[in-house]
């Protein structure tokens, strides 16, 4: 659909420049444009069967006599949206497209060479006009410019005055002149591959791209403080920790950007540092310590920590990195000439780690303390019966001090939450948990910006997760980072089966049984509940031949979760030097050790207390439940501890309730995997449980302690139905339960007792994967 263009006339019909009625035909008009000779170039056009109104310079709603029985075509041109606000006017859709709006419908004319769409009062609106407006012309060499009428379009210029080459961004994107990129409306580039990437406009922000059948899911995140997103490690890091410090004269590579190098020299008794840049397409190559030259850039350049980030020269102070205390408290820091330009000494006695991170050695069951300094803990709550010399709060005597690390002899507690005022992060409002998501020392219950993303809680579409851009792809009022269906509007976040995927996008297809549905699973054929993807390429590590994307396939890689293409191994132990980090999943567990203490004060009842693991939904999980005594209520419940696999066809309701009560198997609801009826729980006694779950070999083992005495060992229990999931606590009709000292660890190995009892085929499987 378009406007008919008739031959140009000689200009004698023109009373001046503008758009005028054409007396020779109903609905016709002529466009007179002044030329350089003092005359006019003329083009004749028409109103598609409607009378042209010379006063308003628009097409009226009056039909010409020859079109009385016709109306504007029913065809709907995509550019008719341009006419929505002004249905009867000449408008510009973009630099080269004029839209003639007739009763809200678009009739399109493309401007010829050297003519561009512009607004002219003498024409009553838009017209194709030579060399105007300036915003549509090439004014500078080698630049990209956004179309002034349509931010989705842009054009490139080779030289001043050259013909603009027009382009269009994908739907939902706009062109950004500063970065010369198509960006989403939130300011991020379009997803073109799976992974996690820095926002090059502000590397303190980053985004992830996940490919689904219906398109891309793009989520946005932000780093705290002055940290930037390191695309190599996929973490927010302080670029100042890699700041180069001159220690001797010479030329040295910039640890943040291979295109730059530093020259260090003594002047007037002081060390001076100058930063230089190699030409475009070149990088600094160090030949020996303190010498080097610019050479042609290789892919190695892209592997630098913040290669795509523009780091201001004044971002980091000119100081020795050791002055920033990168090592664990009390551990010596030594400057080195190799990035990150420092090394940490050994961890203190009673601790283990690499000196930068040190973890305290654990006390055995029945004892409490930290770092190997242990004493008896009769109630198994994690606090010793006697005072210890270590500084941790877990070394303080178990005396119910409401501020064990801060003197407060009067034990003032204004909000009665069990935490003394002097150490309460919210002293005027009761908050026993002391939760502080953003770590700003202000408890969440009295923090007006809980996630510290700059949006106050009342106006934040994700108040518990930082998202400064407030991106909300589906417009349901919930930010993408906390929306359980980011591409499907669901303001109520309904999740009937509690599997963390909203009902609006939940198809319940999970072929590998890891609790992550195939539509969102980064490894749908291999169970990986934690969805670990070290290199951020969208393929889970368990089905990625090269997990860290360093060019060395995992079976041959001596450090397969950290990039180390050189495979350096200084001590020859078979473990790469780069391997100093333990990659654990968050929230959803695969191989897990789960332990805790329960203490029941109720002396009048005898029902269930326990915990759940492998929790994938409210109809699919493992549950360990302990009954004090036998009871025939909904069904027959025996004394003792049971382990059940819940795979309920109905989910929560009477059928599942009855199945949980029964000491036995209920078809289509729950399967009894193990039962020990030797003892029931006693009130006012502390019991400690330990559970080992290894889904890869389908093995579970449970221990129970009273004090430091083991009172129950389940032996190996074999079931591979659930490949991981969440952890939680469980009770059924039982009151006055105190759970304490609950913790978990993600483990790669198999405990010795569990391994010793495995059948040979599973032993071989373990040995072949370690």
């Amino acid at each position: 659909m378009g406007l008919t263009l008739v031959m140009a006339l000689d200009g004698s019909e023109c009373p001046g420049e503008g758009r005028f009625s054409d007396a020779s035909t109903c609905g016709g008009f002529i466009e007179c444009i002044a030329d350089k000779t003092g005359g006019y170039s003329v083009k004749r056009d028409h109103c598609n069967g409607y009378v042209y109104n010379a006063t308003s310079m628009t097409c009226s709603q009056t039909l010409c006599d020859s079109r009385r029985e016709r109306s504007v075509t029913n065809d709907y041109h995509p550019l008719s949206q341009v006419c929505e606000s002004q249905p009867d006017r000449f408008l510009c859709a973009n630099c080269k497209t004029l839209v003639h709006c007739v009763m809200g419908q678009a009739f399109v004319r493309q401007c010829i060479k050297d003519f561009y769409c512009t607004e002219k009062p003498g024409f009553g609106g838009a017209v194709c006009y030579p060399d105007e407006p300036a915003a549509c012309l090439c004014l500078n060499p080698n630049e990209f410019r956004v179309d002034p009428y349509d931010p989705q379009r842009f054009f490139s210029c080779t030289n001043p005055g050259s013909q603009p080459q027009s382009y269009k961004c994908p739907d939902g994107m706009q062109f950004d002149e500063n970065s010369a990129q198509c960006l989403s409306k939130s300011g991020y580039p379009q997803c073109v591959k799976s992974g996690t990437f820095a926002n090059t406009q502000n590397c303190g922000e980053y985004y992830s791209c996940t490919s689904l059948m219906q398109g891309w899911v793009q989520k946005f995140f932000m780093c705290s403080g002055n940290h930037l997103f390191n695309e190599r490690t996929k973490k927010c890091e302080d670029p100042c920790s890699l700041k180069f410090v001159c220690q001797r004269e010479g030329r040295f590579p910039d640890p943040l950007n291979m295109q730059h190098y530093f020259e260090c020299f003594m002047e007037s008794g002081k060390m001076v540092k100058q930063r230089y840049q190699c030409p475009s397409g070149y990088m600094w190559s160090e030949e020996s310590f303190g010498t080097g030259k610019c050479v042609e850039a290789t892919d190695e350049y892209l592997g630098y920590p913040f290669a795509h980030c523009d780091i201001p020269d004044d971002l980091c102070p000119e100081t020795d990195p050791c002055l920033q205390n990168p090592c664990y408290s009390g551990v010596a820091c030594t400057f080195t000439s190799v990035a990150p330009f420092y090394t940490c000494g050994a961890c203190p006695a009673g601790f283990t780690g690499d000196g930068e991170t040190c973890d305290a050695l654990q006390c055995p069951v029945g004892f409490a303390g930290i770092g190997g300094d242990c004493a008896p803990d009769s109630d198994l709550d994690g606090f010793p019966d006697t005072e210890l010399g270590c500084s941790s709060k877990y070394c303080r005597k178990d005396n119910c001090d409401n501020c064990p690390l801060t003197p407060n002899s009067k034990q003032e507690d204004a909000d009665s939450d069990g935490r003394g005022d002097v150490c309460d992060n919210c002293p005027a409002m009761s908050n026993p948990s002391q939760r502080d998501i953003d770590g700003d020392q202000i408890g969440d219950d009295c923090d007006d910006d809980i996630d510290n993303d700059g949006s106050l809680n009342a106006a934040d579409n994700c108040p518990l997760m930082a998202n400064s851009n407030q991106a909300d792809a589906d417009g349901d009022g919930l930010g993408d980072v906390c929306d359980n269906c980011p591409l499907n509007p669901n303001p109520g976040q309904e999740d009937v089966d509690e599997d963390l995927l909203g009902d609006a996008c939940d198809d319940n297809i999970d072929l590998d049984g890891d609790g992550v549905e195939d539509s969102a699973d980064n490894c749908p054929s291999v169970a990986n509940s934690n969805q670990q993807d070290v290199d951020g390429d969208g393929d889970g590590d368990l089905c990625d031949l090269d997990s860290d994307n360093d060019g060395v396939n995992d079976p041959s890689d001596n450090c397969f979760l950290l990039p180390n293409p050189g495979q350096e191994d200084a001590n020859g132990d078979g473990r790469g030097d780069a391997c100093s980090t333990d990659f654990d999943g968050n929230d959803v567990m695969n191989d897990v050790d789960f332990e805790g203490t329960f203490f029941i004060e109720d002396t009048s009842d005898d029902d269930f207390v326990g915990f759940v693991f492998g929790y994938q939904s409210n109809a699919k999980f493992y549950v360990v439940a302990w009954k004090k005594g036998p009871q025939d209520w909904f069904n027959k419940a025996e004394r003792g501890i049971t382990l059940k696999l819940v795979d309920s066809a109905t989910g929560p309701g009477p059928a599942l309730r009855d199945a949980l009560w029964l000491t036995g198997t209920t078809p289509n609801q729950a399967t009894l995997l193990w039962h020990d009826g030797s003892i029931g729980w006693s009130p006012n006694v502390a019991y400690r449980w330990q559970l080992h779950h290894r889904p890869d070999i389908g093995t579970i083992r449970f221990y129970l302690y009273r004090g430091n005495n083991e009172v129950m060992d389940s032996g190996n229990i074999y079931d591979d139905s659930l490949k991981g999931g969440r952890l939680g606590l469980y009770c059924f009709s039982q009151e006055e339960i105190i759970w304490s000292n609950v913790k978990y660890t993600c483990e790669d190995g198999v405990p010795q007792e569990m391994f010793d009892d495995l059948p040979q085929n599973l032993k071989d499987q373990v040995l072949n994967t370690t």
Side-chain angles (χ1 to χ4, degrees):
M1 153 172 58
L3 296 173
T4 303
L5 184 63
V6 184
M7 73 169 85
L9 306 178
D10 60 10
S12 59
E13 300 93 333
C14 295
E17 186 171 76
R19 185 176 282 127
F20 308 99
S21 292
D22 181 357
S24 66
T25 178
C26 177
F29 58 87
I30 59 174
E31 292 175 346
C32 300
I33 299 175
D35 59 26
K36 296 178 180 180
T37 66
Y40 298 93
S41 64
V42 183
K43 290 184 175 65
R44 177 178 285 151
D45 223 327
H46 64 79
C47 286
N48 203 58
Y50 284 79
V51 174
Y52 178 74
N53 187 327
T55 302
S56 64
M57 289 183 280
T58 62
C59 294
S60 70
Q61 298 185 14
T62 303
L63 285 166
C64 292
D65 289 338
S66 62
R67 297 292 183 94
R68 288 294 180 186
E69 303 303 320
R70 298 181 61 183
S71 63
V72 174
T73 176
N74 290 325
D75 293 341
Y76 187 85
H77 193 281
L79 288 178
S80 291
Q81 60 182 345
V82 175
C83 302
E84 290 178 356
S85 61
Q86 301 183 77
D88 297 294
R89 198 168 186 270
F90 294 87
L91 301 170
C92 290
N94 55 63
C95 283
K96 297 293 288 184
T97 305
L98 170 69
V99 177
H100 179 187
C101 297
V102 181
M103 296 180 65
Q105 295 199 40
F107 297 88
V108 178
R109 179 197 294 171
Q110 298 297 325
C111 298
I112 62 176
K113 183 179 179 182
D114 295 328
F115 280 64
Y116 304 90
C117 193
T118 187
E119 291 277 335
K120 289 284 186 180
F123 292 82
V127 63
C128 288
Y129 202 84
D131 298 327
E132 289 189 29
C136 290
L137 305 180
C138 286
L139 304 178
N140 299 300
N142 301 316
E143 71 173 349
F144 288 92
R145 304 191 67 187
V146 66
D147 191 301
Y149 304 109
D150 183 356
Q152 189 177 355
R153 292 182 173 272
F154 62 100
F155 57 90
S156 64
C157 297
T158 305
N159 296 298
S162 62
Q163 286 293 314
Q165 297 296 313
S166 183
Y167 304 92
K168 183 180 179 182
C169 292
D171 290 344
M173 310 289 284
Q174 296 181 350
F175 186 74
D176 177 63
E177 284 189 348
N178 293 327
S179 63
Q181 292 187 81
C182 291
L183 303 179
S184 66
K185 292 181 180 179
S186 58
Y188 288 81
Q190 178 190 19
C191 284
V192 295
K193 64 178 181 179
S194 295
T196 307
F197 312 96
N199 178 12
T200 55
Q201 301 304 298
N202 177 7
C203 284
E205 300 174 345
Y206 60 103
Y207 62 97
S208 66
C209 295
T210 304
S211 177
L212 301 179
M213 292 179 63
Q214 63 270 36
W216 291 96
V217 174
Q218 188 174 31
K219 293 187 177 182
F220 310 105
F221 310 91
M222 62 181 292
C223 300
S224 61
N226 70 336
H227 286 203
L228 304 180
F229 185 71
N230 183 339
E231 289 190 339
R232 186 173 62 181
T233 62
K234 306 300 179 184
K235 295 180 180 179
C236 289
E237 296 177 357
D238 182 2
C240 299
S241 65
L242 298 179
K243 189 71 175 181
F244 177 76
V245 178
C246 283
Q247 297 293 319
R248 53 168 287 183
E249 292 187 315
R251 292 187 176 92
F252 305 92
D254 184 342
L256 295 176
N257 192 325
M258 265 188 100
Q259 193 179 2
H260 295 82
Y261 64 95
F262 293 101
E263 183 173 358
C264 302
F265 57 91
M266 295 296 296
E267 186 176 87
S268 302
K270 294 183 178 179
M271 184 66 77
V272 177
K273 181 176 71 174
Q274 296 288 341
R275 186 169 183 255
Y276 298 95
Q277 180 175 340
C278 293
S280 178
Y282 283 73
M283 57 184 269
W284 181 258
S285 175
E286 189 174 36
E287 297 176 334
S288 61
F289 187 70
T291 64
K293 63 182 179 181
C294 292
V295 299
E296 283 194 59
T298 64
D299 290 341
E300 184 183 0
Y301 170 65
L302 299 178
Y304 257 46
F306 306 103
H308 300 126
C309 302
D310 181 16
I311 303 174
D313 289 336
D314 59 353
L315 178 67
C316 305
E318 299 291 336
T319 58
D320 187 321
C322 284
L323 297 179
Q324 300 176 41
N325 300 317
C327 302
Y328 188 79
S329 178
V331 174
C333 178
T334 305
F335 176 85
T336 67
S337 60
V338 180
F341 304 104
Y342 67 87
T343 58
C344 297
C347 290
F351 290 76
T352 181
D354 59 6
E356 190 168 347
T357 301
C358 297
D359 297 316
L361 298 173
Q362 297 297 309
C363 296
V365 174
F367 292 80
I370 206 77
D373 192 358
C374 304
D377 173 19
S378 58
D379 59 4
L380 303 178
D381 65 353
F383 293 91
D385 299 340
T386 57
E387 187 78 5
L388 294 173
C390 42
S391 59
S392 168
K393 66 179 182 179
Y394 298 109
C395 300
R396 305 284 72 80
K397 180 181 177 180
D398 192 354
N399 61 0
C400 298
D401 187 344
N402 64 15
C403 276
L405 298 182
T406 307
N408 65 334
S409 58
K410 295 184 179 180
Q411 298 285 287
E412 293 93 342
D413 181 10
D415 56 8
S416 302
D417 61 359
R419 185 61 64 101
D421 294 342
V422 298
C423 62
D424 193 336
N425 64 15
C426 196
M429 185 178 296
S430 178
N431 64 331
S433 71
Q434 298 285 287
R435 189 177 68 166
D436 178 17
I437 287 178
D438 58 5
D440 62 357
Q441 309 305 312
I442 301 174
D444 293 343
D445 288 351
C446 53
D447 190 343
D448 59 3
D449 183 9
I450 290 175
D451 56 10
N452 197 30
D453 62 358
S455 297
L456 298 183
N457 300 331
D460 195 337
N461 63 15
C462 267
L464 302 183
M465 296 182 71
N467 63 331
S468 59
N469 52 42
Q470 298 286 287
D472 179 12
D474 57 11
D476 62 1
L478 290 149
D480 295 339
V481 300
C482 61
D483 193 336
N484 63 17
C485 272
L487 294 181
N488 301 80
N490 62 335
Q493 298 286 280
E494 292 82 2
D495 181 13
V496 171
D497 58 6
E498 297 178 332
D499 64 353
L500 303 183
L501 196 62
D503 298 340
C505 56
D506 190 344
D507 59 16
N508 288 318
I509 299 175
D510 178 18
L511 297 179
D512 59 7
D514 61 1
V516 183
E517 294 188 13
D518 292 351
S519 61
D521 197 336
N522 64 16
C523 192
S525 61
V526 181
N528 65 330
S529 293
N530 60 14
Q531 295 288 283
Q532 181 173 285
D533 179 13
V534 170
D535 58 6
D537 61 359
D539 295 326
D541 294 341
L542 290 185
C543 53
D544 190 343
L545 185 60
D546 182 9
S547 297
D548 55 10
N549 199 29
D550 63 358
V552 182
N553 290 341
D554 290 351
S556 305
D557 196 337
N558 64 14
C559 186
F560 67 91
L561 293 181
L562 278 175
N564 62 333
Q567 297 288 287
E568 293 83 358
D569 181 12
N571 61 7
D573 64 355
R575 181 177 173 83
D577 298 340
C579 275
S580 59
T581 304
D582 181 19
F583 285 78
D584 291 335
N586 295 321
D587 301 325
V588 178
M589 313 302 160
N590 289 339
D591 293 349
V592 65
D593 290 346
F594 186 32
E595 60 181 293
T597 296
F598 34 63
F599 184 95
I600 304 170
E601 295 180 323
D602 183 10
T603 59
S604 62
D605 207 349
D606 62 351
D607 291 326
F608 290 97
V609 59
F611 58 90
V612 297
F613 63 101
Y615 187 98
Q616 298 182 359
S617 73
N618 55 22
K620 189 171 292 189
F621 54 90
Y622 292 111
V623 58
V624 173
W626 193 8
K627 188 81 165 64
K628 178 182 179 183
Q631 186 176 3
D632 194 351
W633 189 16
F634 304 110
N635 277 309
K636 181 68 173 178
E638 303 290 349
R639 181 185 74 174
I641 298 181
T642 59
L643 168 62
K644 289 181 180 179
L645 163 66
V646 174
D647 190 359
S648 171
T650 62
L656 180 55
R657 176 203 63 190
D658 295 352
L660 290 170
W661 185 268
L662 175 68
T663 305
T665 294
T666 303
N668 300 317
Q669 293 293 336
T671 302
L672 180 65
L673 300 178
W674 169 76
H675 172 239
D676 186 327
S678 59
I679 58 172
W681 56 261
S682 297
N684 297 312
V685 175
Y687 296 95
R688 185 81 181 162
W689 86 80
Q690 287 184 340
L691 176 99
H692 305 302
H693 184 206
R694 300 297 182 267
D696 287 345
I697 56 173
T699 308
I700 303 165
R701 190 150 183 164
F702 171 83
Y703 297 92
L704 184 69
Y705 298 86
R706 179 171 179 169
N708 59 355
N709 297 314
E710 181 185 296
V711 295
M712 191 175 294
D713 175 2
S714 69
N716 287 354
I717 303 165
Y718 299 102
D719 185 81
D720 62 358
S721 302
L722 305 181
K723 302 299 185 181
R726 289 173 279 167
L727 308 171
L729 304 175
Y730 174 84
C731 67
F732 190 164
S733 185
Q734 182 57 53
E735 299 180 341
E736 299 183 41
I737 305 169
I738 298 173
W739 284 278
S740 64
N741 200 17
V742 178
K743 51 190 174 183
Y744 67 87
T745 56
C746 298
E747 300 291 345
D748 292 330
V750 175
Q752 190 63 50
E753 286 188 343
M754 176 184 281
F755 179 83
D756 291 343
D757 292 346
L758 290 174
Q760 191 59 49
N761 66 312
L762 292 182
K763 286 183 178 180
D764 293 341
Q765 182 178 333
V766 172
L767 294 174
N768 290 333
T769 56
T770 56

